[in-house]
Amino acid sequence: MSFPSLDDIETPAALVDEERLERNLAKASAYMREHGLRWRPHTKTHKVPELAARQLQAGAVGVTVATPREAEVMGAVADDVLLAYSPVGASKLARLMALPRRVRLSVALDSREVLAGLAEAARGVGRTVGVLVELDLGMRRVGVQTPEEAVALAREASGEEGLEYQGVMFYPGHLRMSLAEQGPALAEVSRRLGTFLDALGAVGLKPGIVSGGSTPTLWRSHEVVGMNEVRPGIAPFFDRASAWMGACGWEEVAYSVLATVVSTAVPGQAVIDAGSKALAKEELPVEGYGALLDRPEVVVRTISEEHGVLDLSRTAWRPRVGERVRVVPNHVCVSVNLQSELWAVRGGQVVKRWDVTGRGRGPV
Amino acid sequence: MSFPSLDDIETPAALVDEERLERNLAKASAYMREHGLRWRPHTKTHKVPELAARQLQAGAVGVTVATPREAEVMGAVADDVLLAYSPVGASKLARLMALPRRVRLSVALDSREVLAGLAEAARGVGRTVGVLVELDLGMRRVGVQTPEEAVALAREASGEEGLEYQGVMFYPGHLRMSLAEQGPALAEVSRRLGTFLDALGAVGLKPGIVSGGSTPTLWRSHEVVGMNEVRPGIAPFFDRASAWMGACGWEEVAYSVLATVVSTAVPGQAVIDAGSKALAKEELPVEGYGALLDRPEVVVRTISEEHGVLDLSRTAWRPRVGERVRVVPNHVCVSVNLQSELWAVRGGQVVKRWDVTGRGRGPV
């Protein structure tokens, strides 16, 4: 199979540096082994079954998914799938129940309504679905608020035919400070988690799985007392936010969007053919929507749908129309979601094409 | 053909109120006729050829597109296609040159590099491509800066075999104030435009087409002296930004994303299954990433990939898990770009499915 060269490939195009990807997988895997953590990577970041398969080969115990489509796509390569989002509605439940029988499905939930719907769907097809009670440990998005609510939901899950109570889950998405500054926040997460674990343990509902984690907090996961599973999504690729938070070095970033300079008419800037429909428009506390992989001092200052404006004020580099650059977006997950395919690059050559088959919402 | 009901359709799902769409098309068409303006709607908003066909039936002179794929898709229904973005690179040029011969293609550009590449490609296949010289009238994204540069580029376009100089183009994307406050800014656009038109006229390069416009400034287009064509994109659908700027009333908004409440665990809010992968995360000077169509006082306060958090502080309404809502996103173009299909709704019933075939970058 032949692939376009980096000079010929039509831009914008999403590139993955395969050597960096491999190093990132090996590093995550080693960290998990060292700390005795179960690694259940979130596949919403890459949405590519081949990449999930690599994570499983590297030691992941299963995968995390966000949507029924991701469950379908990843279910082809994984036997253990956690849907970390409450499925509501007949269509979503039917698709989940139609997953191959070899797939152990578990679901995170925070309400009796979702639990009841899931139990009914599971009984309807004669499946048993694992349940993780979702806890709010400070993010204030989803999750039960008190140990009493967690106990009530865990008890209900334990007693429902079609369901199997497996433990608890949380997402510390409110921890966006740099790695070096996370200590107090992680201690507070541990403290809050402890109140839930104590209450559940006291009534004989000690969780087998205590699932948490994110890429920003990944390398300090072992400090969260009681957590035994983590679900980082971004870690195979990383992005500008990860580097900014110190979860990776710039030289570890494996994902970038290849773009072409299409205008230099306005002084002090160059305009590329990658905008919010290729990079996504997500803010960081620092300026810009992305930065050049090879010139991180050059940021994408403003962004519109098909245009990104490179700020040239901190560089002597003056690109010509037609020149190509690689942009690291602020948030890789939403950039991948804008791509039909990812191109694996090794030694400056495109060596593989991965279709982003987990993208979209319809059945596979 | 039967379609899912609004109660059964899997969420998130993009809905278009077909009666509002029709009223919006009729209103735009009437405005153009009244003011003698050529209407060349930007199809990047909807990316649906059937909707472009309706715009043409309603009196549009042709369509505007952003990408080679949109040109391919829209070229099936339109005989006159303006690519309002400089095409750079062999692949893009080859795809444009392969458009059906009946399609009159024109391209906006602001550099000799793009002009030379386009001319060579056109000559290579024996086509003639129209050229609009792009002017920067204050947005500072793309476009030549001075009348002298415009004259030089127009002259070059006039003399190149394969190209036909047709006029000038600009985009007043820096005008984001409310409709009522646009007067001075539009006068300044007119003044700057006048300097370009005077210089071009003085050397016998008076533009036939003077193309501008946007949805925020749509209804005051006739105040821009010398402009004879407008390219609104958002106007068939509108969105929260349009309503906020006064380009439409809330009751004219035709696009929304149907979503389901999946969690009410955190007090004071409800969480829906539509996040940045369905609504897109775009800021406005007012709070939130969207608002409920039927309860505009309820805004999507925060957004993550698959979750939107509804702020219930300004309503007595307390939704249950499973309840469905329609969300008007801040910016419709980037929300449509996240959909595989749009569902036309009439009288509470889904009556059509439009595939968003202009989405993505590969050839059709």
Side-chain angles (χ1 to χ4, degrees):
Chain A
M1 203 162 182
S2 83
F3 298 104
S5 78
L6 283 182
D7 291 336
D8 294 335
I9 197 167
E10 187 170 319
T11 59
L15 309 182
V16 176
D17 183 310
E18 200 175 20
E19 288 161 311
R20 291 184 179 192
L21 170 75
E22 287 167 358
R23 282 200 292 271
N24 293 342
L25 291 179
K27 183 176 170 182
S29 174
Y31 173 83
M32 303 301 165
R33 274 197 312 276
E34 180 186 347
H35 294 286
L37 288 163
R38 289 158 51 93
W39 177 30
R40 186 187 283 283
H42 206 321
T43 58
K44 60 147 187 186
T45 301
H46 55 67
K47 293 178 181 272
V48 172
E50 294 90 327
L51 294 183
R54 288 203 189 191
Q55 291 171 314
L56 292 163
Q57 283 159 17
V61 299
V63 297
T64 308
V65 302
T67 66
R69 183 173 174 98
E70 288 175 20
E72 290 162 354
V73 165
M74 300 306 166
V77 297
D79 290 331
D80 196 327
V81 174
L82 166 63
L83 178 69
Y85 301 75
S86 286
V88 180
S91 169
K92 284 180 184 171
L93 287 167
R95 290 171 68 184
L96 294 171
M97 294 310 127
L99 289 173
R101 289 279 158 166
R102 66 169 169 71
V103 175
R104 286 186 301 281
L105 174 69
S106 50
V107 168
L109 51 82
D110 66 7
S111 71
R112 304 178 92 163
E113 291 88 342
V114 173
L115 187 147
L118 187 66
E120 187 185 343
R123 286 193 300 265
V125 297
R127 282 188 92 118
T128 299
V129 177
V131 167
L132 297 182
V133 174
E134 183 150 16
L135 315 178
D136 177 13
L137 297 189
M139 190 187 175
R140 300 194 64 75
R141 183 176 66 178
V142 294
V144 298
Q145 300 294 295
T146 65
E148 293 69 33
E149 292 173 281
V151 165
L153 214 47
R155 191 167 274 152
E156 196 145 2
S158 305
E160 277 278 2
E161 193 192 338
L163 302 184
E164 181 194 6
Y165 167 66
Q166 294 182 330
V168 296
M169 191 194 98
F170 65 95
Y171 174 60
H174 56 303
L175 270 56
R176 315 300 281 174
M177 67 286 286
S178 76
L179 203 66
E181 296 163 345
Q182 288 169 3
L186 286 171
E188 173 63 10
V189 165
S190 289
R191 189 194 65 73
R192 293 174 76 134
L193 178 60
T195 65
F196 284 92
L197 298 183
D198 289 348
L200 288 162
V203 295
L205 290 165
K206 183 174 186 295
I209 296 173
V210 180
S211 182
S214 67
T215 293
T217 59
L218 173 57
W219 311 114
R220 297 187 70 167
S221 296
H222 58 284
E223 297 178 40
V224 180
V225 179
M227 181 169 73
N228 58 23
E229 175 179 292
V230 288
R231 308 183 311 277
I234 290 171
F237 290 161
F238 293 120
D239 55 19
R240 189 165 173 245
S242 307
W244 175 74
M245 286 184 267
C248 69
W250 192 254
E251 70 292 347
E252 293 179 295
V253 175
Y255 179 90
S256 60
V257 173
L258 186 71
T260 302
V261 174
V262 295
S263 173
T264 57
V266 178
Q269 68 186 33
V271 180
I272 55 173
D273 61 357
S276 60
K277 287 177 175 172
L279 300 170
K281 189 172 183 179
E282 296 233 348
E283 318 248 344
L284 274 182
V286 289
E287 194 204 18
Y289 299 96
L292 298 193
L293 184 65
D294 300 325
R295 302 175 188 275
E297 71 279 14
V298 178
V299 304
V300 181
R301 188 180 58 210
T302 59
I303 202 168
S304 41
E305 287 162 60
E306 303 288 349
H307 285 135
V309 177
L310 302 183
D311 180 353
L312 302 181
S313 65
R314 286 181 290 274
T315 178
W317 171 65
R318 288 294 172 270
R320 295 163 291 99
V321 168
E323 195 162 338
R324 293 181 159 213
V325 296
R326 294 195 205 180
V327 183
V328 177
N330 285 359
H331 185 186
V332 64
C333 307
V334 282
S335 175
V336 168
N337 187 54
L338 296 165
Q339 316 299 329
S340 299
E341 66 274 315
L342 310 180
W343 302 94
V345 176
R346 194 179 273 274
Q349 301 289 321
V350 177
V351 294
K352 284 189 194 77
R353 171 195 162 122
W354 291 310
D355 290 327
V356 187
T357 46
R359 191 170 83 121
R361 306 187 196 113
V364 177
Chain B
M1 203 164 183
S2 84
F3 297 104
S5 78
L6 283 182
D7 291 335
D8 294 334
I9 197 168
E10 188 171 319
T11 58
L15 309 181
V16 176
D17 182 310
E18 201 176 20
E19 287 162 312
R20 291 184 180 193
L21 170 75
E22 287 167 359
R23 283 200 293 272
N24 293 342
L25 290 179
K27 184 175 169 182
S29 174
Y31 173 83
M32 303 300 165
R33 275 198 311 276
E34 181 185 346
H35 294 286
L37 288 163
R38 289 159 49 92
W39 178 31
R40 185 187 284 281
H42 207 319
T43 58
K44 60 148 187 185
T45 301
H46 55 68
K47 293 178 181 271
V48 173
E50 295 90 327
L51 295 183
R54 288 203 191 190
Q55 292 172 313
L56 292 163
Q57 284 157 16
V61 299
V63 298
T64 308
V65 301
T67 67
R69 183 173 175 100
E70 288 175 19
E72 290 162 353
V73 166
M74 299 306 166
V77 298
D79 290 331
D80 195 328
V81 173
L82 167 63
L83 177 69
Y85 302 75
S86 285
V88 180
S91 168
K92 285 181 183 170
L93 287 167
R95 290 170 67 183
L96 293 170
M97 293 310 128
L99 289 172
R101 289 280 158 166
R102 64 170 169 70
V103 175
R104 286 186 301 280
L105 174 70
S106 50
V107 168
L109 52 82
D110 66 7
S111 71
R112 304 178 93 163
E113 291 88 342
V114 173
L115 187 148
L118 187 66
E120 187 185 342
R123 287 192 300 266
V125 297
R127 282 187 92 118
T128 299
V129 177
V131 168
L132 297 181
V133 173
E134 183 150 17
L135 315 178
D136 177 14
L137 297 188
M139 190 187 176
R140 300 193 64 74
R141 183 176 65 179
V142 294
V144 298
Q145 301 292 298
T146 64
E148 294 69 33
E149 292 172 283
V151 165
L153 215 46
R155 191 168 274 150
E156 196 145 1
S158 305
E160 277 279 2
E161 193 193 335
L163 302 184
E164 181 194 6
Y165 167 66
Q166 294 182 331
V168 296
M169 191 193 99
F170 65 96
Y171 174 61
H174 56 302
L175 271 55
R176 314 301 281 174
M177 66 288 284
S178 76
L179 203 67
E181 295 163 345
Q182 288 170 2
L186 286 170
E188 173 63 9
V189 166
S190 289
R191 188 193 66 73
R192 294 174 75 134
L193 178 60
T195 64
F196 285 93
L197 298 183
D198 288 350
L200 289 162
V203 296
L205 290 165
K206 183 176 185 297
I209 296 173
V210 180
S211 182
S214 67
T215 292
T217 59
L218 172 57
W219 311 114
R220 298 187 69 168
S221 297
H222 58 284
E223 296 178 40
V224 180
V225 179
M227 180 169 74
N228 58 24
E229 175 179 292
V230 288
R231 308 182 312 277
I234 289 171
F237 290 161
F238 293 120
D239 55 17
R240 188 164 174 244
S242 305
W244 175 73
M245 286 184 268
C248 70
W250 192 253
E251 69 292 346
E252 293 178 295
V253 175
Y255 178 90
S256 60
V257 173
L258 186 70
T260 303
V261 174
V262 295
S263 173
T264 57
V266 178
Q269 68 185 32
V271 179
I272 55 174
D273 61 357
S276 60
K277 287 176 175 172
L279 300 170
K281 190 172 182 178
E282 297 233 346
E283 317 248 342
L284 274 182
V286 288
E287 194 204 17
Y289 299 95
L292 298 193
L293 185 65
D294 301 324
R295 302 174 187 275
E297 71 278 14
V298 178
V299 304
V300 181
R301 188 180 59 210
T302 59
I303 202 167
S304 40
E305 287 163 60
E306 303 289 348
H307 285 135
V309 177
L310 302 182
D311 180 353
L312 302 181
S313 66
R314 286 181 290 274
T315 179
W317 171 65
R318 287 295 171 271
R320 293 163 292 98
V321 169
E323 195 161 339
R324 293 179 159 215
V325 296
R326 293 195 205 180
V327 183
V328 178
N330 284 359
H331 185 186
V332 63
C333 307
V334 282
S335 175
V336 168
N337 187 53
L338 296 164
Q339 317 298 329
S340 299
E341 65 274 316
L342 310 180
W343 302 95
V345 175
R346 194 179 273 274
Q349 302 288 320
V350 177
V351 294
K352 283 189 196 77
R353 171 196 162 121
W354 290 311
D355 290 328
V356 186
T357 46
R359 190 170 83 121
R361 306 187 195 114
V364 176

